[in-house]
Amino acid sequence: MPLSAHASRFAGLALANITREYPNFPAHLITSADERCEPRRLHPAFYGAYDWHSSVHMHWLLVRLLRRHGGTPALPDTGPAADVLDRHLTPANLAVEAAYLRDRPSFERPYGWAWLLALAAECRAFEDAAGARWTAALAPAVAAVDRLLADWLPKATYPVRHGNHPNSAFALGLALDSGELSAATDRAVRERLLAWFADDHDAPAHWEPSGQDFLSPALSEADALRRVLPAESFAGWLDRFLPALSSGAPCALLDVPVVSDHADPQIGHLLGLTLSRAAALRSLADALPDGAVRSRLDEAAAAHLAAGLPAVERGDFTTDHWLATFAALALDPVAHG
C-alpha cells in the first residue's frame, strides 16, 4: 500500500501534534532560577509533538505529504498544512532555533540534527514558492547542524550502537540522504562511517531487540554502509556482517518484535522498531542482486510493515506524536542526496 493511501490520516496526525505544546518533554538544561522554559519560548518553530526531534520529523512528514500528494484526492485540502508550516517555518522562528543549536552543541546530537536536515531536503524538493520560503528560513539552522557535525565527527572515536536516539549509523545515514551537507562535511560523514563499520563482521543479531529499541543497531549499521560502500562491495560486506542471511540460518532481525504494551512509552518504542526495520530491510533488499538473501529481506520487510502500520493511529499521544514518521519511511523511502 503506498504512502498516498494514508496521506490524509497521517497529515491529520502531524498537524495535531506539531501544534500541541503540552504535554512536553524538553531536553533543556536549566541554568538559573529565573529562566523561562516554556516550550514555545525555547522553540518557536518546534515546540509541539512532545519533544524537539519529534516535532522536527513530524514537520518533515507534513512537508513530504504535501510534496508527494498535495492536490490529489488523498490529500484534497492542503491549506491547513501549508498555513501551519508558514506560521512555524519563518526566518524569525528558525533564527531562534539555529541559535539554540549553536549554543548547545550536544543538544539532539545526532538524531535531531539529522531530522532537521531531512526536513530541509523535503522543503527544497517542494518546488513552489512555499517550499522556497521554508528552505530559506531553515538555512541558518542547516548551517548550524553542518558546523556542529563537522566539529563533532573528529571527536567521535566510537559509534553509539544501541537502538535509541543517539544511534550513530541511523542519523548519519539520514544526514547523507538529505543532500544538505557541505561537501567537506559529507565527506567527513562517509569517512567516519567507514572507519567505524567497514571491518565489522558477525554482528550479534541474536541480542536484538533490546526492550525499548526503536532502531535496530545491526540493520541501521548495514543501511548506513549501503550508502557509502561501492555497490559491488556491499553484498560481500553484508554476508560477513550477517552470515545467517545467506546461510539460511534463523536470524532474529527478520522476526517481528513482540510488543506487550502499546501504551507504555518505552515498550511502545518497539512499534517504531517494527517500522524502522521494515524500511531498513526494504532498502537493503533493493541494494542486493536477485536471490535468496534479497527474497528473505523482502519477505521480512513486508511482515514488519503489516504488523506496524495498524499501531500508527491509536488515539494515544504516546505513539501518535512520532510513529507515523517511521511508517512513512517504511512505505516510501526516498533519498535526496
Side-chain angles (χ1 to χ4, degrees):
M1 184 180 295
L3 178 57
S4 58
H6 303 272
S8 291
R9 298 189 302 280
F10 285 8
L13 281 171
L15 279 171
N17 282 286
I18 65 175
T19 57
R20 180 174 178 174
E21 188 170 3
Y22 298 101
N24 201 290
F25 190 75
H28 178 75
L29 177 65
I30 300 172
T31 58
S32 68
D34 58 356
E35 189 171 353
R36 293 182 59 188
C37 300
E38 299 92 341
R40 198 183 294 256
R41 180 181 179 86
L42 295 174
H43 299 295
F46 304 124
Y47 60 84
Y50 187 69
D51 48 33
W52 192 86
H53 53 259
S54 297
S55 183
V56 173
H57 63 63
M58 291 296 266
H59 279 77
W60 169 89
L61 174 62
L62 199 57
V63 178
R64 187 164 191 169
L65 293 170
L66 286 174
R67 183 174 74 83
R68 294 192 160 271
H69 310 295
T72 72
L75 191 59
D77 186 3
T78 62
D83 288 347
V84 169
L85 290 165
D86 269 335
R87 291 202 304 271
H88 287 190
L89 303 182
T90 67
N93 288 349
L94 270 300
V96 175
E97 301 284 2
Y100 194 97
L101 289 166
R102 289 192 299 267
D103 292 344
R104 297 162 179 83
S106 62
F107 175 72
E108 292 285 354
R109 183 181 73 195
Y111 180 81
W113 294 356
W115 277 113
L116 189 134
L117 296 172
L119 170 60
E122 286 298 323
C123 291
R124 190 179 301 280
F126 191 54
E127 296 176 347
D128 72 356
R133 288 195 304 275
W134 305 333
T135 300
L138 281 160
V142 169
V145 167
D146 188 273
R147 182 70 261 164
L148 289 165
L149 265 173
D151 290 344
W152 170 63
L153 285 170
K155 300 181 288 187
T157 307
Y158 309 107
V160 176
R161 296 177 181 268
H162 63 66
N164 268 280
H165 306 91
N167 182 281
S168 303
F170 176 83
L172 294 191
L174 194 62
L176 288 178
D177 284 352
S178 76
E180 294 292 317
L181 296 172
S182 66
T185 305
D186 183 280
R187 183 169 57 254
V189 168
R190 293 174 185 275
E191 290 172 353
R192 182 53 68 191
L193 286 171
L194 289 169
W196 283 336
F197 301 132
D199 294 331
D200 281 3
H201 56 87
D202 298 307
H206 58 287
W207 289 358
E208 296 191 33
S210 292
Q212 57 188 38
D213 283 352
F214 69 91
L215 300 169
S216 161
L219 293 179
S220 294
E221 176 178 339
D223 207 22
L225 265 289
R226 170 189 63 81
R227 294 162 165 106
V228 298
L229 283 175
E232 62 273 14
S233 304
F234 177 68
W237 179 90
L238 186 64
D239 189 46
R240 294 188 297 275
F241 185 63
L242 293 171
L245 294 179
S246 58
S247 72
C251 181
L253 302 176
L254 306 183
D255 299 331
V256 175
V258 174
V259 188
S260 61
D261 185 352
H262 289 201
D264 183 283
Q266 300 303 325
I267 296 173
H269 270 182
L270 293 166
L271 297 167
L273 176 65
T274 302
L275 292 167
S276 69
R277 275 189 181 182
L281 290 162
R282 178 178 173 186
S283 294
L284 294 172
D286 288 347
L288 296 174
D290 289 339
V293 175
R294 179 169 181 156
S295 295
R296 288 189 80 186
L297 295 175
D298 276 332
E299 290 172 5
H304 279 75
L305 181 60
L309 272 180
V312 172
E313 303 166 77
R314 298 181 54 251
D316 181 348
F317 188 61
T318 303
T319 50
D320 284 359
H321 79 273
W322 67 285
L323 198 56
T325 305
F326 284 87
L329 287 178
L331 287 161
D332 188 24
V334 173
H336 291 280

